[in-house]
Amino acid sequence: MLKKYFSAGLLLWIPLAVTVWVLESIIRWSDSLLGLLPPDWRPDAFLGFHVPGIGLVIAGIVILVTGVLVANIIGQWVLRAWESLLEKIPFVRPIYSGVKQILQTILSDQTQSFKEVVLIEFPRPGVWTYGFVVAEPGKKTAKEIGGESLVTVFVPTAPNPTSGYVLMVERSALKPTSATVDEAFKFHISLGVMTPAADKSA
């Protein structure tokens, strides 16, 4: 009985503590960016006291304003000039273009990346895990591999789903699943403890 109550307490406090820690880290990091401003320009100088999280609010406003500016003709011209400059810097070019392409894929309304969950045999036949279909390899790559219906699948590592393996496999080697994207991510983050709802009800 004591173990039951202790486990119930852990289930309440640990997720709450981790959530607070993540939010506090984001707020502290955003507030630290205000240190880049001249002392007289910082919000603390105008308000007379520090407001936690104001850096995050300002960052959101800056992102929104720059998005509006970049969306017009003049902004597009400035952006092209800026990217042309970055393209000439050897070490910066692959990082900038790679990150931009990933964001364009994820943020696009038409993209199907990370919207389809599949079951894939990994790291060897007979061992299954959840993966996410992210794209289809280019025609040149597909021709070199010799596949007829290749797809690129991302398999996250546990418990950190931000890293993982990118695999090019035949569509026929994958099994469809009713698991949602959220459920599949929770499966990896929880080390397999949190299984999709469809599995629980089966």
Side-chain angles (χ1 to χ4, degrees), residues 112-123 127-135 151-157 161 163-169 171 173-188 196:
Q112 295 301 313
S113 297
F114 291 96
K115 293 185 179 179
E116 181 183 358
V117 182
V118 294
L119 285 166
I120 181 173
E121 289 185 289
F122 182 81
V127 178
W128 294 86
T129 188
Y130 288 107
F132 304 89
V133 176
V134 295
V151 291
T152 304
V153 179
F154 174 70
V155 178
T157 54
S163 64
Y165 301 89
V166 181
L167 314 172
M168 290 183 288
V169 298
R171 168 68 75 170
L174 306 174
K175 286 188 177 182
T177 175
S178 59
T180 65
V181 174
D182 288 342
E183 289 174 336
F185 268 117
K186 289 178 181 178
F187 173 82
H188 286 287

Side-chain angles (χ1 to χ4, degrees), residues 85-97:
L85 175 63
L86 293 178
E87 286 289 329
K88 298 177 181 178
I89 305 176
F91 295 104
V92 174
R93 181 177 64 245
I95 298 174
Y96 178 83
S97 59

